Amino acid sequence: MKFSELNLPEPVQQGITETGFTDCTPIQEQTLPLALAGKDVAGQAQTGTGKTAAFLIALFTKLLQTPREGKDRQPRALILAPTRELVVQIEADAQALGKHAGFSIQAIYGGVDYMLQKNALKEGADVVIGTPGRLIDYLKQKVYNLKSVEALVIDEADRMFDMGFIADLRFILRRLPPYDARQNMLFSATLNQRVMELAYEFMNAPTKVSVTPEKMTADNVEQILYHASRKEKFPLLLGLLRKEGMERTMIFINTKREGEFLYDRLNANGFPAKVISGDVEQRKRLKILEDFKSGKLPIMIATDVASRGLHIEGVSHVINYDLPQDAEDYVHRIGRTARAGAEGKAISLADEDGAFYLEAIEEYIKHKVPVEWAEDDMFVHDYIRVKARPRVEKPVGKGKPGQGRGNDRGRSGERTRHEKKGSPTPAAAQASPVAGAGEGEVKKKRRRPRKKKPAGEGTPA
């Protein structure tokens, strides 16, 4: 089906044409007729199959068909996503597809200017795209309300559960108009029982649409697995980078510390790279993503914050330096390459720990990951070594006993085992009222003698 065959408003059709879309993907072909007819939809499809465009086209069409009445500037549509990067991605797609629709589109997420987003919400927005945390923050402050929402979209619903957002999600959904007074769309890579319970609770008899094939991974992704010990992984990675000539590569790791390890060593050995993880400042994360998308940055190291929802064209290789602990994350990681019909390569390195996750991954994707054995000449041993970064201990708050430098005193000021027996405590030195008192001595407070009652006053003499 072509987009021109659908009965879409001219502003939406113009946005689709300028974006370069002509033919519907399978998920778009099955969900758009239902959504355009006003029905609720719960859609399941692989990552990179056009789910975002599907719900944005349906949402803009609905809002154009029912123009806003009065001067109310409260949100008419709400799109919820689990990660900041996904929110930014959806907003970019919404601005492109809705360029001629005349809607005000606002992204709300943490890590960026708090007051700027707050003021933007106060001024009013037609479409709000956000992560649950900051949306709830502004909602509790009554910066905006959800009483005028006509359409709701929940993207990556399964990830909402995995990231512990379900309580926040329910908090928001209970403040929307009744489920039958709005249109609801839910999209996810997996429509398991938990997700469908959410759908039946907050949606109006949704039609379930699934276009996930028997194979969970795309056919045009070439998958390779190398078994390597922990010490061999980095020499093998360098060998692969030199051999493959990777133009735009994403390297996934499980921990921030592993990311720092790779960052230091890759840059020292002539492979420019930067790291994206959960605790990197949001503006810096967006700058890294922009440089990677534009081709200025050839290698991006990332935790699973970048494994979902991000559409980056031209990613030639995805490398699982660490195999993911969650089998679903494997599918999302390798889905960053071979998008929109292109071809790509996914290379995984299984060390002593990663080998334990392999069985669950292969069971989930319903096939074995092809194994190749690295020849000796693929390992680079003459690389520049860099010392590991020292672990930085968080500063300890005042008053905690025996932790941190210069804080060896207990809360009550008693001497700890770190102090010499004869040394005075600061509290004791200040409390001593006797001038010239000996070191370490504290004047004991004498008790007042009790006054004896005179004989004859109620007590025998």
Side-chain angles (χ1 to χ4, degrees):
M1 181 188 289
K2 294 186 179 295
F3 285 106
S4 56
E5 297 175 32
L6 297 166
N7 186 22
L8 299 173
E10 183 57 33
V12 177
Q13 189 65 62
Q14 198 173 347
I16 293 171
T17 304
E18 290 183 7
T19 309
F21 297 156
T22 54
D23 299 327
C24 296
T25 63
I27 187 66
Q28 292 166 351
E29 187 171 346
Q30 292 197 36
T31 57
L32 275 172
L34 295 168
L36 292 172
K39 295 181 180 178
D40 285 11
V41 176
Q44 176 183 4
Q46 286 176 313
T47 182
T49 53
K51 291 178 287 186
T52 304
F55 65 69
L56 286 174
I57 290 167
L59 186 147
F60 289 147
T61 300
K62 178 177 177 61
L63 297 186
L64 285 169
Q65 289 173 345
T66 56
R68 186 192 289 274
E69 296 179 1
K71 296 181 180 180
D72 182 24
R73 295 297 297 164
Q74 297 298 331
R76 298 180 63 197
L78 178 65
I79 302 173
L80 298 170
T83 66
R84 301 169 183 178
E85 284 72 25
L86 185 51
V87 167
V88 172
Q89 180 70 57
I90 295 171
E91 186 204 18
D93 292 342
Q95 296 287 3
L97 286 168
K99 183 178 178 181
H100 303 282
F103 295 124
S104 170
I105 300 167
Q106 181 62 45
I108 302 295
Y109 54 94
V112 293
D113 196 310
Y114 186 88
M115 291 305 299
L116 193 67
Q117 290 186 352
K118 184 176 181 179
N119 293 334
L121 268 182
K122 276 185 178 178
E123 290 174 10
D126 296 302
V127 180
V128 171
I129 309 160
T131 51
R134 187 161 282 196
L135 283 171
I136 291 175
D137 192 354
Y138 292 141
L139 196 60
K140 287 181 176 179
Q141 294 181 50
K142 299 184 179 178
V143 175
Y144 72 109
N145 65 63
L146 298 171
K147 295 177 182 177
S148 302
V149 170
E150 302 168 34
L152 166 73
V153 177
I154 303 173
D155 196 18
E156 299 288 359
D158 56 339
R159 192 66 167 168
M160 294 279 194
F161 279 97
D162 295 340
M163 295 178 71
F165 279 132
I166 188 59
D168 290 345
L169 194 60
R170 290 179 187 277
F171 180 91
I172 293 171
L173 298 182
R174 288 184 179 126
R175 280 150 184 82
L176 293 169
Y179 63 87
D180 54 354
R182 62 176 195 263
Q183 185 174 10
N184 307 280
M185 288 173 276
L186 179 148
F187 288 85
S188 180
T190 54
L191 289 179
N192 53 36
Q193 186 179 354
R194 295 183 305 171
V195 174
M196 289 312 297
E197 282 177 3
L198 186 74
Y200 292 134
E201 183 178 355
F202 293 102
M203 298 173 71
N204 186 20
T207 303
K208 184 177 177 181
V209 175
S210 178
V211 295
T212 303
E214 289 186 9
K215 279 185 71 176
M216 294 295 292
T217 55
D219 290 326
N220 48 353
V221 179
E222 182 186 352
Q223 299 175 62
I224 298 172
L225 176 77
Y226 290 100
H227 287 278
S229 69
R230 196 175 293 108
K231 291 181 179 180
E232 293 175 330
K233 278 169 69 175
F234 186 73
L236 178 56
L237 175 65
L238 281 182
L240 289 168
L241 289 171
R242 291 180 182 179
K243 178 187 174 184
E244 298 279 341
M246 306 175 186
E247 295 178 4
R248 193 173 298 175
T249 304
M250 294 183 74
I251 302 177
F252 283 100
I253 36 84
N254 289 345
T255 65
K256 170 199 164 189
R257 187 164 179 80
E258 195 69 62
E260 292 172 347
F261 170 91
L262 284 181
Y263 170 82
D264 292 339
R265 285 153 182 77
L266 285 175
N267 282 282
N269 286 277
F271 290 97
K274 289 187 179 177
V275 186
I276 281 187
S277 63
D279 57 354
V280 173
E281 184 187 358
Q282 186 61 29
R283 288 184 183 180
K284 191 175 179 182
R285 281 158 68 172
L286 295 176
K287 180 67 169 63
I288 293 170
L289 277 172
E290 189 57 40
D291 288 347
F292 187 66
K293 287 180 180 180
S294 65
K296 292 180 183 177
L297 180 68
I299 299 172
M300 186 171 75
I301 305 163
T303 57
D304 283 310
V305 298
S307 68
R308 292 196 180 212
L310 297 184
H311 176 63
I312 303 171
E313 293 182 2
V315 175
S316 59
H317 293 74
V318 167
I319 299 178
N320 287 308
Y321 190 80
D322 296 326
L323 275 175
Q325 298 175 10
D326 187 341
E328 289 183 21
D329 287 334
Y330 176 83
V331 175
H332 290 288
R333 286 182 181 186
I334 70 172
R336 298 310 100 204
T337 186
R339 297 178 72 84
E343 293 184 353
K345 200 167 187 177
I347 301 171
S348 299
L349 308 181
D351 59 12
E352 298 90 335
D353 294 326
F356 288 104
Y357 311 133
L358 189 57
E359 184 180 352
I361 289 170
E362 291 179 334
E363 185 179 344
Y364 182 74
I365 64 177
K366 299 182 177 72
H367 67 86
K368 292 279 185 182
V369 181
V371 176
E372 290 191 10
W373 300 100
E375 301 294 336
D376 290 341
D377 59 355
M378 289 180 64
F379 295 89
V380 176
H381 295 291
D382 59 343
Y383 62 89
I384 299 170
R385 267 79 172 169
V386 181
K387 286 185 178 180
R389 297 187 190 185
R391 290 185 180 271
V392 180
E393 292 185 4
K394 293 182 180 179
V396 180
K398 292 181 181 180
K400 290 189 178 181
Q403 293 182 15
R405 290 183 179 178
N407 189 27
D408 291 329
R409 186 167 308 286
R411 288 187 182 181
S412 58
E414 295 111 1
R415 185 172 61 240
T416 67
R417 63 184 177 86
H418 299 281
E419 298 172 356
K420 292 182 181 178
K421 196 171 182 179
S423 62
T425 65
Q430 291 173 9
S432 177
V434 181
E439 233 181 276
E441 294 179 6
V442 181
K443 188 75 173 176
K444 287 188 177 180
K445 204 171 183 181
R446 291 182 180 177
R447 289 185 179 180
R448 270 188 184 178
R450 289 183 181 178
K451 288 183 180 180
K452 292 182 179 180
K453 292 183 180 180
E457 290 187 14
T459 54

